[in-house]
Amino acid sequence: MAWLSDSLTTRAVTILVAPDPAEKIGLTRAAATAWRGSALRDIGDTQPPDRPARPDRPPLLPPRDMPKRRAGGSAAGHIALLHALTPSEGRTFGREELLIEGEGG
């Protein structure tokens, strides 16, 4: 892929306007590799689109045909599942409560 101007924001916008999920994945991996390898140094100032592109007709499946989500047997999988199930407000409230108690204590 030839980039019009090689900046992080240009690549991000290119990813956002790509309608094909497989293309988005490839572009994302290429941008991440360039960023990690220092081949991509400029942040840029390209503005994002109002909405990301989507496939014209995404496949619609009944619930019974959807892939099953698994937590996996690893500790990381269990942590990810718990994180997904815990409301973010509860996690934030817990931190604030600890900060308040720490200040007065």
Side-chain angles (χ1 to χ4, degrees), residues 72-83:
S74 69
H78 288 221
I79 290 169
L81 178 62
L82 289 173
H83 181 78

Side-chain angles (χ1 to χ4, degrees), residues 3-27:
W3 305 95
L4 295 177
S5 86
D6 210 11
S7 72
L8 187 60
T9 56
T10 300
R11 289 191 181 210
V13 168
T14 303
I15 293 163
L16 288 171
V17 299
D20 179 49
E23 182 183 5
K24 282 183 190 285
I25 291 168
L27 291 169

Side-chain angles (χ1 to χ4, degrees), residues 1-101:
M1 163 108 215
W3 305 95
L4 295 177
S5 86
D6 210 11
S7 72
L8 187 60
T9 56
T10 300
R11 289 191 181 210
V13 168
T14 303
I15 293 163
L16 288 171
V17 299
D20 179 49
E23 182 183 5
K24 282 183 190 285
I25 291 168
L27 291 169
T28 301
R29 289 183 176 155
T33 299
W35 182 255
R36 282 191 217 109
S38 298
L40 183 61
R41 296 177 189 268
D42 184 31
I43 299 292
D45 60 359
T46 307
Q47 295 299 306
D50 290 334
R51 292 177 182 258
R54 302 272 188 244
D56 289 334
R57 305 282 265 155
L60 299 176
L61 301 173
R64 70 177 185 282
D65 294 339
M66 294 299 294
K68 302 293 181 226
R69 295 178 79 188
R70 300 181 318 164
S74 69
H78 288 221
I79 290 169
L81 178 62
L82 289 173
H83 181 78
L85 294 174
T86 306
S88 61
E89 295 85 4
R91 290 192 302 269
T92 302
F93 176 75
R95 276 185 250 148
E96 289 173 352
E97 187 176 71
L98 289 175
L99 288 174
I100 292 169
E101 287 175 8

